[in-house]
Amino acid sequence: MSAPTVRDPGRLDPADTAAVLALLRAAAAADGVRPLSEEAELRLQHGGPHGGQDVVATTEDGVLTGYARLELGAPGSADDAEAELVVAPEARGRGVGAALLTRLEELAAGRPLRVWAHGDLPAATALATARAYTRARVLLQMRRPLTDDDLDPRPALPDDVHVSAFRPGRDDEAWLRVNARAFATHPEQGAWTPEDLHLREAEPWFDPAGFLLAWRGDPDAGGTLLGSHWTKVHPPGDAGPDAVGEVYVLGVDPTAQGLGLGRALTDLGLAHLRGRGLEEVLLYVEEDNAAAVRLYEGRGFGRHAVDVSWRRVP
């Protein structure tokens, strides 16, 4: 097989986008892990902020063999460039990953580059270490069954706090404000914009009934949002052979810490997912967030998979 052809055409046309999505499904089936983050898939399909770039690898006759998504950020940004890449299962071991990574390094133009390896697979580790990348971040995927009897569908809440479902178009601003405060130190989650929220509200999986908000007072009469638990349901084939629930975003405003809302919202969300007939739930958490890892381990979650951000300084 000749060397792969790598190109970065800007935004992909609909046919190329469909081909990439099919490649992602094939890679997920082969590896047992999604090859790209949800954010990268959304930007593949809908575009994203300035500085985003799609990169594809093909054979001489145009057959798609790999895909990468690069984010450079705003013009003049000194932040690291970030990327994700995937190689078609049938094209592995033929230099496609190395060719994509070389082009990503060229596009980063001398800036440090971070590349996510979902599942921490041996081939990704070998490629990264051979190119002098080092592990910069580790994201744990944790899972637990929903069939146990330890889930409390009616956990104790402070007397002046009640939980209700998210109302699109009415609760957006309050949720974005608390999300930014709860994840102020998180490099991605805390920077969500109204567009980020609305993109997810338009996704087929979005269900406001599983998006639980904890309020003090009437939300329409000056009430205060204290925290939330946004759940998600992955369809069969997305995170496993069967449908799987997710603790998608769980956050408590810093001013409401110590009220037990994190555990109460966790239990309410898990009970909601169990009520949907699901048997398993997953979540993602930074490995170095010891407090959150302890919280989830205390609620029966165990480590299931690992995503690694590899970083190289040219």
Side-chain angles (χ1 to χ4, degrees):
M1 176 182 174
S2 60
T5 299
V6 177
R7 57 188 176 90
D8 39 282
R11 288 283 294 124
L12 298 180
D13 63 32
D16 283 339
T17 298
V20 172
L21 291 172
L23 186 157
L24 299 183
R25 290 192 294 271
D31 300 330
V33 62
R34 289 181 60 170
L36 295 186
S37 66
E38 177 191 68
E39 186 65 32
E41 285 196 37
L42 286 171
R43 293 183 178 187
L44 161 67
Q45 296 177 76
H46 305 290
H50 183 87
Q53 178 69 65
D54 295 310
V55 182
V56 294
T58 62
T59 63
E60 286 183 339
D61 54 357
V63 176
L64 182 70
T65 56
Y67 169 79
R69 176 75 191 182
L70 176 69
E71 302 295 340
L72 291 173
S77 171
D79 295 339
D80 291 1
E82 294 208 31
E84 303 179 44
L85 67 86
V86 55
V87 177
E90 68 275 9
R92 293 174 180 175
R94 302 175 184 177
V96 176
L100 285 169
L101 189 56
T102 295
R103 184 56 183 153
L104 292 171
E105 291 168 355
E106 293 170 351
L107 291 169
R111 289 165 57 182
L113 176 63
R114 294 176 182 253
V115 183
W116 279 102
H118 298 283
D120 197 17
L121 301 173
T125 299
L127 176 60
T129 54
R131 302 284 280 264
Y133 284 76
T134 58
R135 292 164 79 99
R137 285 175 63 193
V138 178
L139 190 66
L140 301 179
Q141 184 191 133
M142 305 181 74
R143 295 196 181 198
R144 64 154 289 165
L146 288 172
T147 53
D148 295 346
D149 294 329
D150 63 333
L151 300 181
D152 185 355
R154 293 179 296 277
L157 291 167
D159 291 340
D160 58 348
V161 175
H162 70 278
V163 173
S164 58
F166 178 82
R167 301 169 301 173
R170 297 178 68 179
D171 296 330
D172 300 38
E173 183 178 347
W175 184 82
L176 284 166
R177 183 172 58 251
V178 170
N179 179 70
R181 288 171 54 81
F183 295 96
T185 61
H186 193 282
E188 293 96 20
Q189 184 66 40
W192 273 25
T193 66
E195 182 181 2
D196 292 320
L197 176 58
H198 298 156
L199 276 176
R200 287 158 177 81
E201 290 176 352
E203 287 292 289
W205 58 263
F206 178 71
D207 177 14
F211 193 164
L212 308 175
L213 307 185
W215 294 92
R216 175 177 285 135
D218 186 344
D220 295 322
T224 301
L225 181 62
L226 303 179
S228 66
H229 182 181
W230 186 353
T231 67
K232 175 180 179 178
V233 177
H234 294 266
D238 190 33
D242 301 316
V244 178
E246 180 178 348
V247 177
Y248 186 57
V249 186
L250 174 66
V252 176
D253 190 279
T255 62
Q257 297 290 344
L259 299 179
L261 288 179
R263 175 160 183 157
L265 285 166
T266 298
D267 282 355
L268 285 168
L270 296 183
H272 168 81
L273 292 170
R274 184 165 65 176
R276 293 281 306 270
L278 301 173
E279 296 186 353
E280 190 175 34
V281 60
L282 65 85
L283 58 82
Y284 293 92
V285 62
E286 299 282 345
E287 185 181 50
D288 62 2
N289 188 344
V293 172
R294 283 196 302 271
L295 169 68
Y296 294 132
E297 288 178 337
R299 299 306 298 127
F301 285 87
R303 301 185 183 206
H304 178 80
V306 175
D307 295 341
V308 177
S309 176
W310 293 92
R311 185 174 188 259
R312 175 178 178 267
V313 179

PDB file of all heavy atoms in Angstrom, residues 3-41:
ATOM      1  N   ALA A   3       1.807   5.375   0.461  1.00  0.00           N
ATOM      2  CA  ALA A   3       1.596   6.282   1.585  1.00  0.00           C
ATOM      3  C   ALA A   3       0.219   6.935   1.480  1.00  0.00           C
ATOM      4  O   ALA A   3      -0.241   7.260   0.375  1.00  0.00           O
ATOM      5  CB  ALA A   3       2.689   7.349   1.588  1.00  0.00           C
ATOM      6  N   PRO A   4      -0.458   7.138   2.603  1.00  0.00           N
ATOM      7  CA  PRO A   4      -1.786   7.755   2.548  1.00  0.00           C
ATOM      8  C   PRO A   4      -1.705   9.201   2.102  1.00  0.00           C
ATOM      9  O   PRO A   4      -0.704   9.891   2.313  1.00  0.00           O
ATOM     10  CB  PRO A   4      -2.279   7.650   3.995  1.00  0.00           C
ATOM     11  CG  PRO A   4      -1.038   7.542   4.817  1.00  0.00           C
ATOM     12  CD  PRO A   4      -0.054   6.790   3.969  1.00  0.00           C
ATOM     13  N   THR A   5      -2.772   9.658   1.463  1.00  0.00           N
ATOM     14  CA  THR A   5      -2.913  11.060   1.083  1.00  0.00           C
ATOM     15  C   THR A   5      -3.648  11.782   2.197  1.00  0.00           C
ATOM     16  O   THR A   5      -4.747  11.362   2.600  1.00  0.00           O
ATOM     17  CB  THR A   5      -3.706  11.195  -0.233  1.00  0.00           C
ATOM     18  OG1 THR A   5      -2.998  10.517  -1.266  1.00  0.00           O
ATOM     19  CG2 THR A   5      -3.886  12.658  -0.600  1.00  0.00           C
ATOM     20  N   VAL A   6      -3.068  12.849   2.733  1.00  0.00           N
ATOM     21  CA  VAL A   6      -3.678  13.598   3.831  1.00  0.00           C
ATOM     22  C   VAL A   6      -4.024  14.993   3.329  1.00  0.00           C
ATOM     23  O   VAL A   6      -3.194  15.658   2.696  1.00  0.00           O
ATOM     24  CB  VAL A   6      -2.727  13.690   5.045  1.00  0.00           C
ATOM     25  CG1 VAL A   6      -3.338  14.542   6.146  1.00  0.00           C
ATOM     26  CG2 VAL A   6      -2.406  12.295   5.571  1.00  0.00           C
ATOM     27  N   ARG A   7      -5.240  15.421   3.607  1.00  0.00           N
ATOM     28  CA  ARG A   7      -5.665  16.761   3.192  1.00  0.00           C
ATOM     29  C   ARG A   7      -6.503  17.393   4.290  1.00  0.00           C
ATOM     30  O   ARG A   7      -7.130  16.692   5.093  1.00  0.00           O
ATOM     31  CB  ARG A   7      -6.437  16.723   1.877  1.00  0.00           C
ATOM     32  CG  ARG A   7      -7.667  15.836   1.898  1.00  0.00           C
ATOM     33  CD  ARG A   7      -8.284  15.683   0.522  1.00  0.00           C
ATOM     34  NE  ARG A   7      -9.405  14.748   0.526  1.00  0.00           N
ATOM     35  CZ  ARG A   7     -10.664  15.093   0.749  1.00  0.00           C
ATOM     36  NH1 ARG A   7     -10.979  16.378   0.968  1.00  0.00           N
ATOM     37  NH2 ARG A   7     -11.634  14.192   0.755  1.00  0.00           N
ATOM     38  N   ASP A   8      -6.501  18.722   4.315  1.00  0.00           N
ATOM     39  CA  ASP A   8      -7.316  19.461   5.291  1.00  0.00           C
ATOM     40  C   ASP A   8      -8.139  20.477   4.514  1.00  0.00           C
ATOM     41  O   ASP A   8      -7.728  21.603   4.290  1.00  0.00           O
ATOM     42  CB  ASP A   8      -6.437  20.134   6.346  1.00  0.00           C
ATOM     43  CG  ASP A   8      -5.151  20.706   5.775  1.00  0.00           C
ATOM     44  OD1 ASP A   8      -4.221  19.917   5.535  1.00  0.00           O
ATOM     45  OD2 ASP A   8      -5.078  21.921   5.584  1.00  0.00           O
ATOM     46  N   PRO A   9      -9.334  20.060   4.110  1.00  0.00           N
ATOM     47  CA  PRO A   9     -10.132  20.859   3.181  1.00  0.00           C
ATOM     48  C   PRO A   9     -10.987  21.944   3.819  1.00  0.00           C
ATOM     49  O   PRO A   9     -11.840  22.515   3.153  1.00  0.00           O
ATOM     50  CB  PRO A   9     -11.016  19.793   2.530  1.00  0.00           C
ATOM     51  CG  PRO A   9     -11.242  18.801   3.629  1.00  0.00           C
ATOM     52  CD  PRO A   9      -9.958  18.767   4.415  1.00  0.00           C
ATOM     53  N   GLY A  10     -10.786  22.246   5.094  1.00  0.00           N
ATOM     54  CA  GLY A  10     -11.732  23.136   5.766  1.00  0.00           C
ATOM     55  C   GLY A  10     -12.935  22.323   6.198  1.00  0.00           C
ATOM     56  O   GLY A  10     -12.817  21.163   6.593  1.00  0.00           O
ATOM     57  N   ARG A  11     -14.125  22.882   6.086  1.00  0.00           N
ATOM     58  CA  ARG A  11     -15.330  22.129   6.435  1.00  0.00           C
ATOM     59  C   ARG A  11     -15.579  21.036   5.422  1.00  0.00           C
ATOM     60  O   ARG A  11     -15.489  21.251   4.210  1.00  0.00           O
ATOM     61  CB  ARG A  11     -16.540  23.077   6.488  1.00  0.00           C
ATOM     62  CG  ARG A  11     -16.550  24.010   7.675  1.00  0.00           C
ATOM     63  CD  ARG A  11     -16.990  23.321   8.965  1.00  0.00           C
ATOM     64  NE  ARG A  11     -18.385  22.907   8.902  1.00  0.00           N
ATOM     65  CZ  ARG A  11     -18.800  21.663   9.092  1.00  0.00           C
ATOM     66  NH1 ARG A  11     -17.951  20.715   9.349  1.00  0.00           N
ATOM     67  NH2 ARG A  11     -20.086  21.375   9.034  1.00  0.00           N
ATOM     68  N   LEU A  12     -15.895  19.842   5.894  1.00  0.00           N
ATOM     69  CA  LEU A  12     -16.184  18.727   5.011  1.00  0.00           C
ATOM     70  C   LEU A  12     -17.564  18.882   4.392  1.00  0.00           C
ATOM     71  O   LEU A  12     -18.487  19.437   5.007  1.00  0.00           O
ATOM     72  CB  LEU A  12     -16.127  17.408   5.789  1.00  0.00           C
ATOM     73  CG  LEU A  12     -14.779  17.042   6.417  1.00  0.00           C
ATOM     74  CD1 LEU A  12     -14.900  15.706   7.141  1.00  0.00           C
ATOM     75  CD2 LEU A  12     -13.684  16.987   5.374  1.00  0.00           C
ATOM     76  N   ASP A  13     -17.713  18.352   3.182  1.00  0.00           N
ATOM     77  CA  ASP A  13     -19.042  18.372   2.568  1.00  0.00           C
ATOM     78  C   ASP A  13     -19.871  17.234   3.166  1.00  0.00           C
ATOM     79  O   ASP A  13     -19.337  16.350   3.854  1.00  0.00           O
ATOM     80  CB  ASP A  13     -18.942  18.284   1.047  1.00  0.00           C
ATOM     81  CG  ASP A  13     -18.319  16.977   0.545  1.00  0.00           C
ATOM     82  OD1 ASP A  13     -18.512  15.929   1.205  1.00  0.00           O
ATOM     83  OD2 ASP A  13     -17.647  17.015  -0.494  1.00  0.00           O
ATOM     84  N   PRO A  14     -21.192  17.229   2.938  1.00  0.00           N
ATOM     85  CA  PRO A  14     -22.048  16.218   3.578  1.00  0.00           C
ATOM     86  C   PRO A  14     -21.634  14.777   3.283  1.00  0.00           C
ATOM     87  O   PRO A  14     -21.713  13.915   4.159  1.00  0.00           O
ATOM     88  CB  PRO A  14     -23.438  16.529   3.018  1.00  0.00           C
ATOM     89  CG  PRO A  14     -23.391  18.005   2.724  1.00  0.00           C
ATOM     90  CD  PRO A  14     -21.993  18.260   2.243  1.00  0.00           C
ATOM     91  N   ALA A  15     -21.178  14.499   2.051  1.00  0.00           N
ATOM     92  CA  ALA A  15     -20.783  13.118   1.724  1.00  0.00           C
ATOM     93  C   ALA A  15     -19.554  12.705   2.522  1.00  0.00           C
ATOM     94  O   ALA A  15     -19.488  11.577   3.043  1.00  0.00           O
ATOM     95  CB  ALA A  15     -20.518  13.001   0.225  1.00  0.00           C
ATOM     96  N   ASP A  16     -18.575  13.607   2.631  1.00  0.00           N
ATOM     97  CA  ASP A  16     -17.381  13.285   3.413  1.00  0.00           C
ATOM     98  C   ASP A  16     -17.724  13.134   4.891  1.00  0.00           C
ATOM     99  O   ASP A  16     -17.173  12.270   5.581  1.00  0.00           O
ATOM    100  CB  ASP A  16     -16.327  14.372   3.235  1.00  0.00           C
ATOM    101  CG  ASP A  16     -15.601  14.277   1.893  1.00  0.00           C
ATOM    102  OD1 ASP A  16     -15.613  13.190   1.294  1.00  0.00           O
ATOM    103  OD2 ASP A  16     -15.044  15.297   1.447  1.00  0.00           O
ATOM    104  N   THR A  17     -18.611  13.987   5.391  1.00  0.00           N
ATOM    105  CA  THR A  17     -19.016  13.891   6.793  1.00  0.00           C
ATOM    106  C   THR A  17     -19.676  12.545   7.073  1.00  0.00           C
ATOM    107  O   THR A  17     -19.385  11.892   8.078  1.00  0.00           O
ATOM    108  CB  THR A  17     -19.977  15.031   7.156  1.00  0.00           C
ATOM    109  OG1 THR A  17     -19.313  16.286   6.981  1.00  0.00           O
ATOM    110  CG2 THR A  17     -20.456  14.919   8.598  1.00  0.00           C
ATOM    111  N   ALA A  18     -20.545  12.107   6.154  1.00  0.00           N
ATOM    112  CA  ALA A  18     -21.205  10.805   6.319  1.00  0.00           C
ATOM    113  C   ALA A  18     -20.177   9.675   6.320  1.00  0.00           C
ATOM    114  O   ALA A  18     -20.293   8.708   7.092  1.00  0.00           O
ATOM    115  CB  ALA A  18     -22.237  10.592   5.218  1.00  0.00           C
ATOM    116  N   ALA A  19     -19.154   9.789   5.460  1.00  0.00           N
ATOM    117  CA  ALA A  19     -18.116   8.751   5.416  1.00  0.00           C
ATOM    118  C   ALA A  19     -17.322   8.715   6.714  1.00  0.00           C
ATOM    119  O   ALA A  19     -16.981   7.631   7.217  1.00  0.00           O
ATOM    120  CB  ALA A  19     -17.193   9.000   4.220  1.00  0.00           C
ATOM    121  N   VAL A  20     -17.024   9.881   7.281  1.00  0.00           N
ATOM    122  CA  VAL A  20     -16.301   9.925   8.557  1.00  0.00           C
ATOM    123  C   VAL A  20     -17.149   9.313   9.663  1.00  0.00           C
ATOM    124  O   VAL A  20     -16.650   8.539  10.494  1.00  0.00           O
ATOM    125  CB  VAL A  20     -15.888  11.365   8.904  1.00  0.00           C
ATOM    126  CG1 VAL A  20     -15.319  11.426  10.329  1.00  0.00           C
ATOM    127  CG2 VAL A  20     -14.860  11.888   7.913  1.00  0.00           C
ATOM    128  N   LEU A  21     -18.444   9.627   9.706  1.00  0.00           N
ATOM    129  CA  LEU A  21     -19.311   9.065  10.736  1.00  0.00           C
ATOM    130  C   LEU A  21     -19.370   7.537  10.631  1.00  0.00           C
ATOM    131  O   LEU A  21     -19.389   6.841  11.648  1.00  0.00           O
ATOM    132  CB  LEU A  21     -20.708   9.665  10.631  1.00  0.00           C
ATOM    133  CG  LEU A  21     -20.819  11.151  11.007  1.00  0.00           C
ATOM    134  CD1 LEU A  21     -22.215  11.690  10.687  1.00  0.00           C
ATOM    135  CD2 LEU A  21     -20.507  11.363  12.485  1.00  0.00           C
ATOM    136  N   ALA A  22     -19.383   7.018   9.405  1.00  0.00           N
ATOM    137  CA  ALA A  22     -19.363   5.559   9.233  1.00  0.00           C
ATOM    138  C   ALA A  22     -18.042   4.982   9.731  1.00  0.00           C
ATOM    139  O   ALA A  22     -18.009   3.910  10.355  1.00  0.00           O
ATOM    140  CB  ALA A  22     -19.579   5.209   7.762  1.00  0.00           C
ATOM    141  N   LEU A  23     -16.925   5.685   9.471  1.00  0.00           N
ATOM    142  CA  LEU A  23     -15.622   5.240   9.975  1.00  0.00           C
ATOM    143  C   LEU A  23     -15.615   5.218  11.500  1.00  0.00           C
ATOM    144  O   LEU A  23     -15.089   4.276  12.113  1.00  0.00           O
ATOM    145  CB  LEU A  23     -14.531   6.168   9.441  1.00  0.00           C
ATOM    146  CG  LEU A  23     -13.063   5.810   9.727  1.00  0.00           C
ATOM    147  CD1 LEU A  23     -12.160   6.462   8.683  1.00  0.00           C
ATOM    148  CD2 LEU A  23     -12.614   6.251  11.113  1.00  0.00           C
ATOM    149  N   LEU A  24     -16.208   6.232  12.127  1.00  0.00           N
ATOM    150  CA  LEU A  24     -16.256   6.278  13.593  1.00  0.00           C
ATOM    151  C   LEU A  24     -17.030   5.100  14.156  1.00  0.00           C
ATOM    152  O   LEU A  24     -16.635   4.495  15.162  1.00  0.00           O
ATOM    153  CB  LEU A  24     -16.893   7.591  14.057  1.00  0.00           C
ATOM    154  CG  LEU A  24     -16.187   8.898  13.669  1.00  0.00           C
ATOM    155  CD1 LEU A  24     -16.913  10.089  14.272  1.00  0.00           C
ATOM    156  CD2 LEU A  24     -14.727   8.884  14.097  1.00  0.00           C
ATOM    157  N   ARG A  25     -18.130   4.746  13.511  1.00  0.00           N
ATOM    158  CA  ARG A  25     -18.927   3.610  13.979  1.00  0.00           C
ATOM    159  C   ARG A  25     -18.127   2.312  13.847  1.00  0.00           C
ATOM    160  O   ARG A  25     -18.167   1.448  14.738  1.00  0.00           O
ATOM    161  CB  ARG A  25     -20.238   3.519  13.193  1.00  0.00           C
ATOM    162  CG  ARG A  25     -21.219   4.643  13.510  1.00  0.00           C
ATOM    163  CD  ARG A  25     -22.599   4.343  12.938  1.00  0.00           C
ATOM    164  NE  ARG A  25     -22.594   4.327  11.476  1.00  0.00           N
ATOM    165  CZ  ARG A  25     -22.796   5.384  10.710  1.00  0.00           C
ATOM    166  NH1 ARG A  25     -23.014   6.576  11.259  1.00  0.00           N
ATOM    167  NH2 ARG A  25     -22.808   5.283   9.385  1.00  0.00           N
ATOM    168  N   ALA A  26     -17.391   2.168  12.750  1.00  0.00           N
ATOM    169  CA  ALA A  26     -16.594   0.957  12.562  1.00  0.00           C
ATOM    170  C   ALA A  26     -15.477   0.867  13.601  1.00  0.00           C
ATOM    171  O   ALA A  26     -15.201  -0.217  14.138  1.00  0.00           O
ATOM    172  CB  ALA A  26     -16.008   0.939  11.149  1.00  0.00           C
ATOM    173  N   ALA A  27     -14.832   1.999  13.892  1.00  0.00           N
ATOM    174  CA  ALA A  27     -13.763   2.002  14.887  1.00  0.00           C
ATOM    175  C   ALA A  27     -14.310   1.687  16.274  1.00  0.00           C
ATOM    176  O   ALA A  27     -13.683   0.954  17.053  1.00  0.00           O
ATOM    177  CB  ALA A  27     -13.052   3.348  14.884  1.00  0.00           C
ATOM    178  N   ALA A  28     -15.476   2.235  16.611  1.00  0.00           N
ATOM    179  CA  ALA A  28     -16.082   1.959  17.916  1.00  0.00           C
ATOM    180  C   ALA A  28     -16.411   0.476  18.059  1.00  0.00           C
ATOM    181  O   ALA A  28     -16.204  -0.123  19.116  1.00  0.00           O
ATOM    182  CB  ALA A  28     -17.329   2.819  18.099  1.00  0.00           C
ATOM    183  N   ALA A  29     -16.918  -0.127  16.988  1.00  0.00           N
ATOM    184  CA  ALA A  29     -17.249  -1.553  17.041  1.00  0.00           C
ATOM    185  C   ALA A  29     -15.992  -2.399  17.192  1.00  0.00           C
ATOM    186  O   ALA A  29     -15.990  -3.407  17.899  1.00  0.00           O
ATOM    187  CB  ALA A  29     -18.007  -1.951  15.783  1.00  0.00           C
ATOM    188  N   ALA A  30     -14.903  -1.985  16.549  1.00  0.00           N
ATOM    189  CA  ALA A  30     -13.664  -2.760  16.602  1.00  0.00           C
ATOM    190  C   ALA A  30     -12.951  -2.623  17.939  1.00  0.00           C
ATOM    191  O   ALA A  30     -12.356  -3.586  18.437  1.00  0.00           O
ATOM    192  CB  ALA A  30     -12.731  -2.322  15.466  1.00  0.00           C
ATOM    193  N   ASP A  31     -13.005  -1.427  18.537  1.00  0.00           N
ATOM    194  CA  ASP A  31     -12.204  -1.144  19.730  1.00  0.00           C
ATOM    195  C   ASP A  31     -12.990  -1.200  21.032  1.00  0.00           C
ATOM    196  O   ASP A  31     -12.403  -1.223  22.110  1.00  0.00           O
ATOM    197  CB  ASP A  31     -11.570   0.248  19.611  1.00  0.00           C
ATOM    198  CG  ASP A  31     -10.662   0.367  18.403  1.00  0.00           C
ATOM    199  OD1 ASP A  31     -10.076  -0.650  18.010  1.00  0.00           O
ATOM    200  OD2 ASP A  31     -10.547   1.476  17.848  1.00  0.00           O
ATOM    201  N   GLY A  32     -14.319  -1.151  20.939  1.00  0.00           N
ATOM    202  CA  GLY A  32     -15.130  -1.130  22.152  1.00  0.00           C
ATOM    203  C   GLY A  32     -15.117   0.200  22.865  1.00  0.00           C
ATOM    204  O   GLY A  32     -15.490   0.286  24.037  1.00  0.00           O
ATOM    205  N   VAL A  33     -14.715   1.269  22.181  1.00  0.00           N
ATOM    206  CA  VAL A  33     -14.677   2.600  22.771  1.00  0.00           C
ATOM    207  C   VAL A  33     -14.907   3.620  21.661  1.00  0.00           C
ATOM    208  O   VAL A  33     -14.488   3.420  20.511  1.00  0.00           O
ATOM    209  CB  VAL A  33     -13.316   2.859  23.471  1.00  0.00           C
ATOM    210  CG1 VAL A  33     -12.162   2.803  22.485  1.00  0.00           C
ATOM    211  CG2 VAL A  33     -13.316   4.180  24.210  1.00  0.00           C
ATOM    212  N   ARG A  34     -15.607   4.701  21.986  1.00  0.00           N
ATOM    213  CA  ARG A  34     -15.820   5.747  20.990  1.00  0.00           C
ATOM    214  C   ARG A  34     -14.479   6.392  20.646  1.00  0.00           C
ATOM    215  O   ARG A  34     -13.730   6.784  21.544  1.00  0.00           O
ATOM    216  CB  ARG A  34     -16.772   6.815  21.536  1.00  0.00           C
ATOM    217  CG  ARG A  34     -18.197   6.358  21.658  1.00  0.00           C
ATOM    218  CD  ARG A  34     -19.095   7.463  22.177  1.00  0.00           C
ATOM    219  NE  ARG A  34     -19.097   8.629  21.288  1.00  0.00           N
ATOM    220  CZ  ARG A  34     -19.957   9.642  21.425  1.00  0.00           C
ATOM    221  NH1 ARG A  34     -20.830   9.645  22.404  1.00  0.00           N
ATOM    222  NH2 ARG A  34     -19.916  10.644  20.589  1.00  0.00           N
ATOM    223  N   PRO A  35     -14.154   6.546  19.357  1.00  0.00           N
ATOM    224  CA  PRO A  35     -12.837   7.066  18.985  1.00  0.00           C
ATOM    225  C   PRO A  35     -12.697   8.572  19.104  1.00  0.00           C
ATOM    226  O   PRO A  35     -11.570   9.077  19.160  1.00  0.00           O
ATOM    227  CB  PRO A  35     -12.692   6.620  17.529  1.00  0.00           C
ATOM    228  CG  PRO A  35     -14.088   6.548  17.018  1.00  0.00           C
ATOM    229  CD  PRO A  35     -14.915   6.076  18.191  1.00  0.00           C
ATOM    230  N   LEU A  36     -13.811   9.300  19.128  1.00  0.00           N
ATOM    231  CA  LEU A  36     -13.784  10.757  19.286  1.00  0.00           C
ATOM    232  C   LEU A  36     -14.693  11.162  20.427  1.00  0.00           C
ATOM    233  O   LEU A  36     -15.656  10.469  20.756  1.00  0.00           O
ATOM    234  CB  LEU A  36     -14.265  11.475  18.012  1.00  0.00           C
ATOM    235  CG  LEU A  36     -13.463  11.356  16.728  1.00  0.00           C
ATOM    236  CD1 LEU A  36     -14.079  12.274  15.666  1.00  0.00           C
ATOM    237  CD2 LEU A  36     -12.005  11.695  16.931  1.00  0.00           C
ATOM    238  N   SER A  37     -14.412  12.297  21.012  1.00  0.00           N
ATOM    239  CA  SER A  37     -15.287  12.850  22.042  1.00  0.00           C
ATOM    240  C   SER A  37     -16.585  13.328  21.407  1.00  0.00           C
ATOM    241  O   SER A  37     -16.673  13.549  20.185  1.00  0.00           O
ATOM    242  CB  SER A  37     -14.602  14.030  22.737  1.00  0.00           C
ATOM    243  OG  SER A  37     -14.421  15.102  21.826  1.00  0.00           O
ATOM    244  N   GLU A  38     -17.602  13.511  22.236  1.00  0.00           N
ATOM    245  CA  GLU A  38     -18.858  14.070  21.747  1.00  0.00           C
ATOM    246  C   GLU A  38     -18.630  15.444  21.129  1.00  0.00           C
ATOM    247  O   GLU A  38     -19.201  15.777  20.089  1.00  0.00           O
ATOM    248  CB  GLU A  38     -19.860  14.179  22.904  1.00  0.00           C
ATOM    249  CG  GLU A  38     -21.175  14.816  22.488  1.00  0.00           C
ATOM    250  CD  GLU A  38     -22.041  15.165  23.682  1.00  0.00           C
ATOM    251  OE1 GLU A  38     -21.666  16.075  24.437  1.00  0.00           O
ATOM    252  OE2 GLU A  38     -23.079  14.524  23.846  1.00  0.00           O
ATOM    253  N   GLU A  39     -17.787  16.268  21.770  1.00  0.00           N
ATOM    254  CA  GLU A  39     -17.535  17.616  21.269  1.00  0.00           C
ATOM    255  C   GLU A  39     -16.949  17.573  19.861  1.00  0.00           C
ATOM    256  O   GLU A  39     -17.353  18.337  18.985  1.00  0.00           O
ATOM    257  CB  GLU A  39     -16.587  18.362  22.210  1.00  0.00           C
ATOM    258  CG  GLU A  39     -16.370  19.821  21.852  1.00  0.00           C
ATOM    259  CD  GLU A  39     -17.621  20.661  21.983  1.00  0.00           C
ATOM    260  OE1 GLU A  39     -18.470  20.382  22.855  1.00  0.00           O
ATOM    261  OE2 GLU A  39     -17.770  21.613  21.188  1.00  0.00           O
ATOM    262  N   ALA A  40     -15.977  16.679  19.635  1.00  0.00           N
ATOM    263  CA  ALA A  40     -15.371  16.578  18.308  1.00  0.00           C
ATOM    264  C   ALA A  40     -16.397  16.131  17.266  1.00  0.00           C
ATOM    265  O   ALA A  40     -16.409  16.636  16.130  1.00  0.00           O
ATOM    266  CB  ALA A  40     -14.189  15.612  18.337  1.00  0.00           C
ATOM    267  N   GLU A  41     -17.275  15.201  17.634  1.00  0.00           N
ATOM    268  CA  GLU A  41     -18.310  14.762  16.693  1.00  0.00           C
ATOM    269  C   GLU A  41     -19.284  15.885  16.364  1.00  0.00           C
ATOM    270  O   GLU A  41     -19.705  16.046  15.211  1.00  0.00           O
ATOM    271  CB  GLU A  41     -19.051  13.558  17.258  1.00  0.00           C
ATOM    272  CG  GLU A  41     -18.265  12.259  17.188  1.00  0.00           C
ATOM    273  CD  GLU A  41     -19.149  11.042  17.387  1.00  0.00           C
ATOM    274  OE1 GLU A  41     -20.306  11.057  16.902  1.00  0.00           O
ATOM    275  OE2 GLU A  41     -18.691  10.069  18.015  1.00  0.00           O
TER     276      GLU A  41
END
